[in-house]
Amino acid sequence: KQEVTQIPAALSVPEGENLVLNCSFTDSAIYNLQWFRQDPGKGLTSLLLIQSSQREQTSGRLNASLDKSSGRSTLYIAASQPGDSATYLCASPAGQGGKLIFGQGTELSVKP
Amino acid sequence: KAGVTQTPRYLIKTRGQQVTLSCSPISGHRSVSWYQQTPGQGLQFLFEYFSETQRNKGNFPGRFSGRQFSNSRSEMNVSTLELGDSALYLCASSPLAGGTTDTQYFGPGTRLTVL
């Protein structure tokens, strides 16, 4: 049974800093891993999806990596901005179909 | 393309009532999933529909039910509401089989408050 964990629950950094968010999963037979962003009271915005055959994906200032052997994924945010402040969630499919298992999220605050 | 839409955006109900939430997926998407989000439990999977059939179901009581129509729109229903049902209910759609290789796209959610 897949379990997904995100540590820390909250992170505060000054503007301009590069940062890494962590995601751990228990089942290395992972299909893919998806990173989302959620602003307060809003829905989820998909940021990056890494297939099991890939090691990383990049979009703008974001880079996500996947290491199945260690059961870890990281989301790297370069040159953070106050607009990056949000909760970041990672999720993995629980087998076939549309069921995603989510971590509890990391609440990021970027201070001007 | 228009994104995933959910109606209504906000609902206030009292204990014992029932409620129906609606989700319209992105055009062409056949898989629709529902999630409940609460501060204590985080995001929990409710169920998934694909081509009008429930394909996956989470660990929720039978008071939670759903359906999907031939145009892929989906509804979920919660009967005999309890205070603990207060949550943000999110709907997600994906193009094909969903889950294994497809990105899921989420709607803005319906905020349900049970008094």
Side-chain angles (χ1 to χ4, degrees):
Chain A
K1 178 187 170 186
Q2 182 72 280
E3 293 181 8
V4 180
T5 306
Q6 292 183 253
I7 296 173
L11 181 65
S12 181
V13 301
E15 181 177 3
E17 190 163 297
N18 301 325
L19 61 100
V20 174
L21 304 179
N22 296 301
C23 173
S24 299
F25 49 90
T26 54
D27 186 355
S28 61
I30 193 170
Y31 290 103
N32 62 50
L33 191 128
Q34 194 165 358
W35 282 93
F36 295 89
R37 166 187 172 139
Q38 185 175 33
D39 293 289
K42 302 291 177 68
L44 278 63
T45 300
S46 178
L47 297 174
L48 290 164
L49 181 145
I50 314 174
Q51 302 292 355
S52 62
S53 59
Q54 299 173 319
R55 289 194 64 86
E56 63 179 56
Q57 279 281 0
T58 298
S59 176
R61 295 184 293 109
L62 305 180
N63 176 278
S65 69
L66 178 64
D67 184 343
K68 292 188 293 182
S69 62
S70 67
R72 289 184 61 196
S73 176
T74 61
L75 180 67
Y76 174 84
I77 302 177
S80 60
Q81 303 169 358
D84 294 329
S85 297
T87 296
Y88 290 80
L89 296 129
C90 64
S92 171
Q96 298 284 336
K99 178 179 179 178
L100 290 178
I101 305 297
F102 281 87
Q104 289 291 94
T106 295
E107 184 177 358
L108 173 66
S109 176
V110 181
K111 305 293 187 184
Chain B
K1 273 187 182 178
V4 178
T5 59
Q6 292 187 245
T7 56
R9 294 292 313 278
Y10 302 92
L11 266 178
I12 299 176
K13 293 286 187 178
T14 56
R15 279 181 299 174
Q17 287 187 308
Q18 76 165 19
V19 66
T20 299
L21 312 181
S22 181
C23 171
S24 293
I26 292 171
S27 178
H29 286 195
R30 297 166 62 190
S31 169
V32 174
S33 299
W34 289 89
Y35 295 83
Q36 180 195 67
Q37 186 176 32
T38 59
Q41 298 297 318
L43 272 154
Q44 293 186 288
F45 173 80
L46 281 156
F47 27 66
E48 181 208 5
Y49 287 87
F50 181 78
S51 294
E52 301 179 66
T53 301
Q54 188 180 86
R55 186 162 63 174
N56 277 298
K57 189 177 190 306
N59 189 27
F60 278 82
R63 299 185 297 107
F64 292 81
S65 63
R67 59 178 176 168
Q68 187 180 33
F69 302 95
S70 59
N71 62 358
S72 293
R73 189 177 70 86
S74 178
E75 288 181 347
M76 68 163 282
N77 184 76
V78 188
S79 63
T80 319
L81 284 166
E82 300 176 359
L83 294 178
D85 296 333
S86 295
L88 181 66
Y89 289 87
L90 293 164
C91 164
S93 76
S94 62
L96 298 171
T100 56
T101 59
D102 295 335
T103 297
Q104 291 204 17
Y105 299 88
F106 281 76
T110 294
R111 171 73 63 186
L112 172 64
T113 302
V114 182
L115 302 176

